[in-house]
Amino acid sequence: MAFVGGLGSVGRVREGSLRVSRGVGVFRSGVRVCGGRAVMSASEGAKEVAVDDRTWTVLKFGGTSLGLAERFEQVAAILEKQSTPIMVVVSAVGGVTSALGKLVDAAQTRDNKDHYLEGIEEIRELHEELAHKLLPEDARDTFLTSLASSLRDVRDLLRAAWIARSTSERFRDFVLGQGELWAAQLLWSLLRSRGRNCSWMDTRDVLVARRSYGSSPQKIVDWDLSQKLLDEWRKSNPTEIIIATGFIARDSESVPITFGRNGSDFSASVFGRLLNAKEVQIWTDVDGIYTADPRVVQEAVLLEELSYQEAAELAYFGASVLHPDTMAPTMEANVPISIKNTFKPLARGTVVTNTSLGSSTSSSRKRVMPWGAINDSKGVRGFSTVKDVALVNVEGTGMIGVPGIASRLFTALYEKSISCILIAQASSEYSICAAVPGPQGEEAAAAVRKAFQIELDEGLVSDVDVVSNLSILAMVGENMQRQPGVSSRLFRALANGGISVRAMAQGSSEHNVSVVVDSKHESRALRTAHSAFYLSDQTLSIGIIGSGVVGSALIRQILHQRKSLKERMGVDLRVTGLTTSKKMTLSADIDTDDWLETERVLDADLDAFAAHVNDPSLPNAVIVDCTASEVVTEKYEEWLNKGIHIVTPNKKANSGPYQTYLALRQAMSSANSHFFYEANVGAGLPIITTIRDQLHTGDDFLEIQGIFSGTLSYIFNEFDGSEPFSAVVTKAKNLGYTEPDPRDDLSGMDVARKVVICAREIGIQAELDDVPVASLVPEELQGSDVSIDEFMKRLPDFDKELTEMANEAAENEELLRYVGVIDAVSEKCSVELRRYSKSHPFGRLKGSDNIVSFRTKRYDDQPLVVQGPGAGADVTAAGVFSDVLRLAAHLGSPSSYE
């Protein structure tokens, strides 16, 4: 014997089946029965409405839309503005269905900690509170009477489960469906109290479905019978507003069933088809479907329109706004689905139709630049992810050319009720892998090992392994199939982000391209891919080290220019960290150059600084080192190995030991990170770029000469022997051209470092210690025991030699120039004082400009010359800034070359 009941009664049924019964307190369609007294519904006596095609609108409100009394009022206000006829499908009040499920579990397991009786009282209090806030006295009394009756039924059923220590699917479905009945009654009573004529529908009177004969948990609707019952119901209940329960239906034996996960959405879609509705509106707590999860990708764009295919692909792969099953009935009837926000009713939301206007090229995201149109999104509409996935891999030579391998793999998973999310197989047939839910990874691997045990024993299958902690990134777009290069752009973007792809799958329709990545890279992969197709801006998390003249100038330039870069180029530069050797500040985005004055200043810690800048929620991280510190450069290899890009004017790393130089390149290669250092040599001048351009185009270098120091350029442009060398140095120091200690410039080591860097760029394994340097600092003044003041005071004592050299050069119509020289043929480097004729490009140099002459096989008779400002904070900062933007272009941001 089973204890059963309708909303208000308990009865006995044959063969232990739960059937829908009618009794005291039942809210019935058309007529409400209360306390044995029949009460006319608001719709009784209304004129019968003709059934016309495409007149009905179906609106569904979920639990989040009905969680509070204020939200019920908000829903009522939305409904009052709708054109009739409408059917309103409601879920249970937020959290109630889950609570009912826990009550069933607690009763079955006899859980005294969370006793089912206490849970029933909590549900009672929730609905009583809503009724007191929403309904006038008469309506409230009627609702509370029915609520009390149905809760007694639930209590009796749960006591039966307590005694029997067992339940059934039918038992659970009956209990879980009560929440929708209560919510629908509340909304129906609220609308009636506000003077709206409407009818209340228990959808178990209308919807008939059965469990699938296969393994699918989805219920199969009996469309013919449901259509007949709905038509009969409408004839008996002529109305233009129907308040209906979602989630619940009945089977052919009148036993209550539920539609399972997202069942109310499915109910709304079913009614959309049955009513041949003009639209089904799903009202929820989000604005619609986005190009990516906006919690991860803040720049995600709301998609105003999607095709059914696109929406289904996005929904399956994690975009939980709309379940794929929901769309099946509406797809067949060609009924549009709109996703609307209950809390922003005027927002347009997302419309899902049989065709997507948004998938056309004309609607793709584009930016038009002065030099022409930037590439659009290539038909990509959005990205979504599946978390916590495991990859089961089967490999071995014994699988090659053997039919049925995939079938046996699927069968092994099927027998354990394990869903295969994705499958990939190499064309060689040497390996095949399947993605399964993470918690079932080991179980899946064990099942597959058992299925291939003979092959494993015989060595035909070498291994069956499982890789856990993975995620799937899915790229979706109906028009991707018409766009070449879509997959290549995705893989290039992931590679630039330092993200390895474990497996990939793509159907011939090209509606979906899915890749498997490590879970720790999931957020970064999503953001990287999203920005690569210009669905959002290319975002760089920037950490700046050093607040000296160059660092401060760089911060000012970024803050001044980043709004324009974002609007015109789609590049979003976020300064997330600033540090000196002593203090640092960390933030989501620093927007002031007076950061040392803020309250967020912390003690400097390079490890904490780098960890913050390398935020996994942002696709790309770059550290800009504006110091001359070797301590900082010692961190470069570690940062590059972590996928953090580096931009710097600091010469120490690239001119240090050659093995360190190679280690940095190896780190870049292994993590696919980037290291930009144009400002190492010429500040804002394109010295490194020019060298690489010549090499990439097949040219060979013969010799490089250059005046690499802006300070020494100024000094020797001023010094011609007419005034003492020390006087010129003093003038340069007073004008700010030198370092605080002029010996740092006069020693020639800065030039030597630049020479080593250039030499290494053309393939010479130069070491700094092997470069002969003609220092301009007298040996007697080189020691650290000589202060700056003493050096400046004693420097005139050594003017004679340089004055004589200058006068001798002048007699021959020549000038002294302090140069770095790279003989590419002999692979020798030097830094020295040379004489050049006044007609030579070096002799014509003025001010503090740098100049570099490149003699190559292509430019032999007339060397290629690069000249311009090679010193100064603003110029150097601009060179560093250019490297940051060059990095953004490498990572996939729009550029003039696309």
Side-chain angles (χ1 to χ4, degrees):
M1 181 175 69
F3 291 88
V4 300
L7 187 56
S9 69
V10 178
R12 299 180 181 179
V13 297
R14 296 190 306 272
E15 300 175 351
S17 299
L18 289 175
R19 299 180 186 273
V20 179
S21 61
R22 307 297 181 208
V24 177
V26 177
F27 279 73
R28 299 195 61 187
S29 306
V31 178
R32 188 176 79 256
V33 180
C34 183
R37 178 171 58 88
V39 182
M40 297 288 289
S41 79
S43 64
E44 186 170 347
K47 292 183 178 180
E48 184 170 349
V49 180
V51 180
D52 297 323
D53 288 344
R54 303 295 184 186
T55 59
W56 284 83
T57 299
V58 178
L59 302 92
K60 178 265 176 180
F61 292 91
T64 55
S65 299
L66 303 170
L68 302 169
E70 295 80 3
R71 295 181 182 177
F72 270 89
E73 296 278 5
Q74 199 163 11
V75 169
I78 291 171
L79 296 178
E80 288 173 350
K81 295 178 182 179
Q82 296 289 323
S83 298
T84 56
I86 60 173
M87 169 177 274
V88 184
V89 178
V90 298
S91 298
V93 171
V96 168
T97 302
S98 295
L100 288 169
K102 291 179 181 179
L103 295 186
V104 175
D105 294 336
Q108 180 181 353
T109 60
R110 295 192 176 186
D111 189 342
N112 290 318
K113 183 178 180 181
D114 295 311
H115 200 280
Y116 72 88
L117 291 177
E118 295 175 356
I120 289 175
E121 286 307 307
E122 291 175 359
I123 292 174
R124 181 199 305 276
E125 290 172 2
L126 171 62
H127 288 85
E128 286 180 348
E129 180 181 358
L130 289 171
H132 280 286
K133 290 181 177 180
L134 292 171
L135 305 178
E137 185 176 354
D138 289 347
R140 181 171 64 244
D141 291 344
T142 301
F143 172 77
L144 293 178
T145 299
S146 176
L147 175 69
S149 176
S150 62
L151 284 174
R152 283 195 298 270
D153 295 345
V154 171
R155 183 193 62 201
D156 291 343
L157 285 168
L158 293 177
R159 174 160 179 76
W162 175 280
I163 294 171
R165 295 192 179 185
S166 66
T167 61
S168 66
E169 184 178 356
R170 289 179 167 182
F171 181 104
R172 179 177 288 272
D173 279 352
F174 181 83
V175 174
L176 294 185
Q178 300 303 302
E180 276 67 24
L181 295 167
W182 300 328
Q185 293 164 20
L186 273 171
L187 183 59
W188 175 77
S189 300
L190 174 61
L191 289 175
R192 291 191 66 246
S193 70
R194 296 170 72 138
R196 299 304 301 268
N197 291 326
C198 55
S199 290
W200 179 82
M201 175 191 285
D202 180 348
T203 51
R204 296 176 298 185
D205 292 338
V206 172
L207 296 184
V208 180
R210 62 172 174 81
R211 293 167 176 82
S212 171
Y213 296 140
S215 59
S216 172
Q218 185 178 350
K219 304 300 190 298
I220 309 302
V221 176
D222 186 329
W223 293 105
D224 293 337
L225 181 55
S226 296
Q227 187 70 66
K228 176 185 176 183
L229 293 173
L230 176 60
D231 292 343
E232 292 175 353
W233 188 96
R234 290 177 59 200
K235 289 178 181 178
S236 302
N237 300 273
T239 182
E240 290 196 342
I241 302 177
I242 302 172
I243 309 300
T245 56
F247 187 58
I248 58 176
R250 65 178 173 90
D251 63 16
S252 58
E253 298 177 349
S254 296
V255 175
I257 61 172
T258 67
F259 285 128
R261 179 189 173 195
N262 298 105
S264 293
D265 287 0
F266 184 72
S267 297
S269 183
V270 168
F271 279 116
R273 172 175 168 176
L274 293 174
L275 292 168
N276 197 22
K278 60 183 179 182
E279 184 181 31
V280 172
Q281 298 178 2
I282 306 295
W283 289 80
T284 181
D285 58 351
V286 296
D287 290 342
I289 299 176
Y290 284 79
T291 51
D293 186 343
R295 294 169 298 182
V296 179
V297 183
Q298 297 176 359
E299 303 82 7
V301 178
L302 180 69
L303 293 165
E304 293 187 353
E305 189 159 1
L306 281 172
S307 70
Y308 289 122
Q309 182 71 38
E310 290 167 339
E313 294 281 6
L314 285 171
Y316 179 78
F317 282 95
S320 58
V321 177
L322 194 62
H323 194 273
D325 293 345
T326 299
M327 289 174 280
T330 54
M331 286 175 66
E332 294 178 19
N334 195 20
V335 177
I337 299 177
S338 291
I339 312 299
K340 309 279 284 183
N341 191 335
T342 306
F343 311 110
K344 297 179 184 177
L346 298 180
R348 187 178 187 277
T350 299
V351 179
V352 182
T353 61
N354 61 344
T355 58
S356 170
L357 296 178
S359 61
S360 66
T361 303
S362 62
S363 297
S364 296
R365 179 179 168 97
K366 286 185 177 180
R367 282 188 175 88
V368 179
M369 302 298 295
W371 50 76
I374 299 301
N375 282 352
D376 60 26
S377 59
K378 291 285 188 182
V380 176
R381 303 309 315 286
F383 294 86
S384 57
T385 57
V386 179
K387 301 178 183 294
D388 195 8
V389 170
L391 206 59
V392 178
N393 184 59
V394 184
E395 60 182 40
T397 57
M399 301 193 305
I400 299 175
V402 178
I405 295 295
S407 173
R408 292 169 63 189
L409 173 64
F410 286 136
T411 299
L413 298 177
Y414 169 77
E415 289 176 350
K416 293 295 183 178
S417 299
I418 299 173
S419 174
C420 180
I421 306 172
L422 173 150
I423 187 167
Q425 181 174 8
S427 58
S428 65
E429 299 185 70
Y430 177 76
S431 65
I432 185 172
C433 65
V436 300
Q440 295 179 294
E442 292 297 338
E443 182 183 6
V448 174
R449 289 189 190 102
K450 182 178 180 181
F452 289 92
Q453 190 60 57
I454 294 176
E455 287 83 355
L456 285 166
D457 293 341
E458 294 177 347
L460 299 175
V461 171
S462 58
D463 192 21
V464 175
D465 65 344
V466 58
V467 182
S468 302
N469 300 317
L470 302 175
S471 296
I472 296 177
L473 170 69
M475 176 174 66
V476 173
E478 192 167 347
N479 267 23
M480 293 193 305
Q481 58 189 330
R482 305 171 192 171
Q483 300 283 347
V486 175
S487 295
S488 66
R489 184 187 287 189
L490 172 64
F491 282 100
R492 184 170 65 250
L494 294 175
N496 286 336
I499 300 162
S500 176
V501 174
R502 296 294 192 114
M504 69 86 63
Q506 176 180 342
S508 60
S509 68
E510 291 189 77
H511 290 163
N512 180 314
V513 178
S514 298
V515 296
V516 181
V517 300
D518 289 344
S519 291
K520 63 182 180 181
H521 293 148
E522 178 188 325
S523 296
R524 175 163 288 178
L526 179 58
R527 291 188 62 92
T528 299
H530 193 266
S531 62
F533 288 87
Y534 312 126
L535 299 178
S536 64
D537 298 319
Q538 181 67 262
T539 304
L540 269 69
S541 171
I542 302 175
I544 299 176
I545 304 177
S547 63
V549 291
V550 175
S552 297
L554 176 63
I555 295 168
R556 288 195 301 271
Q557 291 177 12
I558 290 176
L559 295 179
H560 178 266
Q561 193 65 16
R562 65 178 180 176
K563 180 180 179 182
S564 174
L565 288 170
K566 187 171 184 178
E567 291 175 351
R568 301 182 69 228
M569 295 282 293
V571 177
D572 183 7
L573 303 181
R574 300 185 187 180
V575 181
T576 55
L578 292 167
T579 185
T580 65
S581 60
K582 296 181 179 180
K583 297 293 182 181
M584 70 177 182
T585 186
L586 308 176
S587 175
D589 191 6
I590 298 168
D591 57 3
T592 175
D593 56 358
D594 295 328
W595 63 276
L596 282 173
E597 304 301 322
T598 68
E599 297 179 356
R600 296 169 294 181
V601 175
L602 308 169
D603 291 336
D605 181 336
L606 284 179
D607 292 333
F609 177 81
H612 175 81
V613 172
N614 195 25
D615 183 347
S617 68
L618 297 176
N620 305 294
V622 54
I623 289 178
V624 182
D625 175 17
C626 295
T627 74
S629 168
E630 290 189 26
V631 174
V632 176
T633 62
E634 289 172 357
K635 290 286 187 178
Y636 284 9
E637 183 179 356
E638 175 187 340
W639 292 339
L640 290 169
N641 274 318
K642 290 181 177 179
I644 302 173
H645 311 292
I646 296 174
V647 173
T648 183
N650 188 338
K651 296 174 281 293
K652 299 293 177 64
N654 280 327
S655 61
Y658 191 71
Q659 290 304 315
T660 300
Y661 178 87
L662 292 178
L664 294 180
R665 273 68 195 166
Q666 180 59 42
M668 292 165 58
S669 177
S670 62
N672 204 26
S673 48
H674 296 281
F675 182 20
F676 287 90
Y677 46 88
E678 183 68 74
N680 271 195
V681 178
L685 297 181
I687 306 301
I688 302 298
T689 300
T690 300
I691 292 174
R692 291 180 178 177
D693 286 346
Q694 298 313 304
L695 292 173
H696 293 163
T697 57
D699 204 355
D700 293 319
F701 281 86
L702 301 175
E703 183 184 55
I704 299 175
Q705 292 187 42
I707 298 175
F708 292 103
S709 167
T711 300
L712 294 175
S713 175
Y714 173 81
I715 288 175
F716 282 98
N717 284 334
E718 292 292 314
F719 178 60
D720 58 5
S722 61
E723 61 178 322
F725 180 75
S726 59
V728 176
V729 173
T730 300
K731 185 194 303 184
K733 185 176 187 298
N734 292 337
L735 290 174
Y737 283 121
T738 72
E739 294 292 332
D741 187 345
R743 287 174 292 185
D744 292 340
D745 299 297
L746 299 176
S747 69
M749 290 308 300
D750 183 69
V751 175
R753 289 186 181 278
K754 295 178 180 180
V755 166
V756 168
I757 292 170
C758 289
R760 289 175 175 177
E761 286 295 313
I762 64 174
I764 299 174
Q765 298 183 18
E767 291 284 6
L768 185 61
D769 292 341
D770 296 334
V771 178
V773 178
S775 174
L776 298 174
V777 180
E779 187 175 350
E780 295 89 335
L781 304 181
Q782 290 179 3
S784 59
D785 56 327
V786 180
S787 67
I788 297 174
D789 289 340
E790 183 180 355
F791 166 75
M792 295 302 297
K793 183 178 179 180
R794 294 177 57 188
L795 185 59
D797 297 341
F798 302 90
D799 283 337
K800 182 179 178 181
E801 182 179 356
L802 284 174
T803 300
E804 290 176 352
M805 292 176 65
N807 290 332
E808 183 180 344
E811 291 174 0
N812 293 285
E813 295 296 316
E814 294 178 331
L815 298 168
L816 294 179
R817 294 292 183 258
Y818 195 79
V819 298
V821 180
I822 303 167
D823 186 335
V825 177
S826 65
E827 298 189 352
K828 300 294 184 182
C829 304
S830 64
V831 177
E832 56 194 72
L833 196 59
R834 284 190 175 186
R835 288 160 48 172
Y836 292 89
S837 69
K838 293 181 179 180
S839 61
H840 190 278
F842 288 14
R844 298 196 300 266
L845 201 63
K846 301 296 182 182
S848 61
D849 278 5
N850 282 8
I851 185 169
V852 180
S853 170
F854 301 99
R855 190 164 66 86
T856 69
K857 288 185 177 179
R858 188 179 297 155
Y859 295 96
D860 191 0
D861 295 335
Q862 187 175 352
L864 177 63
V865 175
V866 176
Q867 177 182 341
D874 287 335
V875 170
T876 304
V880 174
F881 198 179
S882 295
D883 267 351
V884 172
L885 297 180
R886 192 173 290 111
L887 170 64
H890 273 269
L891 296 174
S893 70
S895 75
S896 59
Y897 299 105
E898 289 197 283

